[in-house]
Amino acid sequence: MADEPLLIIGNRNYSSWSLRAWLALKQLGFAFRELRIPLDTPEFPAQIRAYSAAARVPVLIDDGVEVWDSLAICAHAAEQVGRSLWPADPAARAHARSAVAEMHAGFAALRAELPMNIRARGRVVQPSSAAQRDVERVLSLWCEARARFGADGPWLHGEWSLSDAYYAPVALRFRTYGIAVPELCWPWLEHLHDDADLGHWCRDAEAESEVLDAEEVGA
């Protein structure tokens, strides 16, 4: 019998891509073990290369198969359990897929200037014009999703979809840096922050002791 799949993650407090994959696997009901390898330590390169030549987290090892990208991890898990990552409604599905693709490939300034730091509160950062445009685009995307599909359920696109896992780290960033969010999005944010799996991750993040100076931005 094969071992249970192993998900290798980084620090819960800082690793937004680890959180995305972990949340999606939890929601899908995909059973897995996890191994946390702290980031930015002298040991990290050798430790992660024991599992992946890409030398990044997250990575999933499933019966000898290495899956080393968060989006690929989510797709692999969905196939294994026979569940969808997307809403049933075609319009919501198209919007959610586009939103996830945009998050996966874009928002570089937002990610660089407002790093995920779950433990931090009240941090003040003056974003660059590029980061501010990213913030405004995220808020516009959230409002559009809720306005069009909010009647179908409490998640970003009504039904749960991968968009909720992909934008959860951004919601946590906005909480850390005090980014104002339109009232239209408040019910989704409350539902997200009340999610048991996200709560479990955040409590574990609070308990971590590592401090990555490069990620500790803001006054």
Side-chain angles (χ1 to χ4, degrees):
M1 180 181 294
D3 291 334
E4 194 170 60
L6 177 66
L7 181 69
I8 297 96
I9 62 174
N11 307 63
R12 287 177 175 83
N13 191 53
Y14 302 111
S15 183
S16 59
W17 292 106
S18 296
L19 172 56
R20 291 181 174 101
W22 187 93
L23 268 182
L25 268 54
K26 287 290 188 180
Q27 183 67 35
L28 289 167
F30 180 84
F32 63 94
R33 299 172 292 140
E34 61 187 72
L35 172 66
R36 189 183 75 101
I37 302 180
L39 304 172
D40 293 347
T41 68
E43 300 79 19
F44 178 82
Q47 289 175 336
I48 191 59
R49 284 193 175 91
Y51 298 97
S52 172
R56 290 185 170 184
V57 293
V59 58
L60 178 71
I61 309 298
D62 185 6
D63 197 18
V65 175
E66 175 190 334
V67 191
W68 64 88
D69 172 83
S70 60
L71 190 55
I73 289 169
C74 297
H76 175 84
E79 290 174 351
Q80 296 305 303
V81 300
R83 291 188 59 187
S84 176
L85 293 168
W86 311 109
D89 176 73
R93 186 163 64 247
H95 195 277
R97 282 174 168 161
S98 299
V100 166
E102 189 171 358
M103 184 71 251
H104 196 69
F107 302 118
L110 187 159
R111 296 204 306 264
E113 297 179 33
L114 306 175
M116 190 176 82
N117 187 344
I118 294 172
R119 291 192 302 254
R121 296 288 190 280
R123 295 292 177 90
V124 177
V125 172
Q126 184 60 49
S128 68
S129 58
Q132 186 59 40
R133 285 193 299 271
D134 282 352
V135 168
E136 291 169 0
R137 171 56 187 153
V138 166
L139 295 176
S140 173
L141 187 156
W142 288 359
C143 286
E144 183 179 8
R146 292 304 301 157
R148 292 180 60 186
F149 311 113
D152 295 332
W155 294 104
L156 187 57
H157 287 89
E159 292 181 68
W160 180 87
S161 78
L162 189 57
S163 64
D164 296 292
Y166 258 61
Y167 283 91
V170 183
L172 293 171
R173 283 174 161 96
F174 286 4
R175 183 175 68 178
T176 292
Y177 301 103
I179 304 297
V181 176
E183 188 174 353
L184 178 60
C185 301
W186 292 356
W188 169 64
L189 288 173
E190 290 174 1
H191 187 73
L192 180 69
H193 288 305
D194 286 342
D195 179 69
D197 291 326
L198 183 60
H200 179 91
W201 178 281
C202 289
R203 287 190 296 274
D204 285 349
E206 297 276 1
E208 289 179 336
S209 60
E210 299 94 353
V211 175
L212 304 184
D213 290 339
E215 309 299 315
E216 294 289 336
V217 305

